[in-house]
């Protein structure tokens, strides 16, 4: 049993989960598919070939979308649409959207990937003003 499991949930709280085990990698993917999934510049996903997920509640709310002709899979809550982990036993992988976790994670992103597909506006973002709350 993992002494420090990662816990997370969807935005509305209907789906809750616990992950036991270690994450092996953490990638920020800029491919067009991940940009569409996230609605942002990139997805931020943790990967593990050994971690196990236990759904604590709301498993009936989980929907999975598989893009035909690809390995691209997205899990999400049918109520709020928030991204959720996806177990892919056929390739031995658990993929966890970093933003779905409530627990602190100790792994830092390994790399930005698929940068050749990066959004044209995703440049020099470190120079943009930083505001702690909402603007205005």
């Amino acid at each position: 049993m993992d002494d420090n499991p990662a816990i997370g949930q969807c935005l509305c709280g209907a789906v809750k989960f616990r992950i036991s085990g270690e994450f092996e990698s953490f990638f920020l993917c800029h491919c067009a598919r991940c940009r569409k999934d996230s609605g942002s510049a990139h997805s931020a996903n943790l990967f593990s070939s050994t971690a196990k997920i236990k759904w604590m509640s709301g498993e009936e709310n989980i929907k999975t979308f598989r893009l035909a002709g690809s390995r691209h899979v997205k899990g999400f809550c049918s109520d709020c649409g928030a991204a959720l982990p996806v177990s892919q036993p056929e390739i031995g992988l658990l993929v966890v959207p970093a933003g779905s976790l409530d627990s602190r994670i100790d792994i830092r992103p390994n790399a930005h990937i698929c940068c050749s597909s990066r959004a044209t506006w995703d440049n020099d973002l470190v120079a943009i003003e930083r505001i702690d709350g909402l603007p205005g």
Side-chain angles (χ1 to χ4, degrees), residues 1-6 18-22:
M1 185 73 173
D2 192 348
D3 290 340
N4 194 19
R18 174 184 303 253
I19 297 170
S20 299
E22 298 295 320

Side-chain angles (χ1 to χ4, degrees), residues 1 4 15 23 30 33-34 40 50 63 65 68-69 74 76 79 82 90-91 107 111-112 115 129 133 135:
M1 185 73 173
N4 194 19
V15 181
F23 296 114
H30 295 264
R33 293 170 180 164
C34 284
S40 190
T50 58
K63 298 293 180 198
F65 171 75
K74 178 179 179 149
F76 60 96
D79 284 346
E90 66 279 7
I91 59 172
I107 185 174
H112 287 269
C115 289
E129 179 183 7

Side-chain angles (χ1 to χ4, degrees), residues 8-122:
Q9 64 183 330
C10 65
L11 185 59
C12 70
V15 181
K16 295 181 180 177
F17 59 89
R18 174 184 303 253
I19 297 170
S20 299
E22 298 295 320
F23 296 114
E24 293 141 3
S25 54
F26 185 178
F27 293 113
L28 307 177
C29 183
H30 295 264
C31 80
R33 293 170 180 164
C34 284
R35 287 189 287 116
K36 293 280 185 192
D37 268 357
S38 70
S40 190
H42 58 76
S43 65
N45 288 310
L46 298 146
F47 297 84
S48 180
S49 62
T50 58
K52 303 294 182 212
I53 189 164
K54 180 176 182 184
W55 300 104
M56 307 305 287
S57 66
E59 196 168 359
E60 67 279 3
N61 291 57
I62 300 168
K63 298 293 180 198
T64 303
F65 171 75
R66 295 182 185 276
L67 186 62
S70 77
R71 293 188 311 173
H72 193 85
V73 181
K74 178 179 179 149
F76 60 96
C77 173
S78 62
D79 284 346
C80 67
L84 292 168
V86 175
S87 180
Q88 296 178 295
E90 66 279 7
I91 59 172
L93 203 57
L94 176 65
V95 181
V96 180
S100 70
L101 294 174
D102 296 323
S103 302
R104 174 188 163 101
I105 52 174
D106 294 326
I107 185 174
R108 297 250 320 137
N110 298 88
H112 287 269
I113 61 173
C114 298
C115 289
S116 61
S117 299
R118 199 167 82 202
T120 57
W121 51 267
D122 186 17

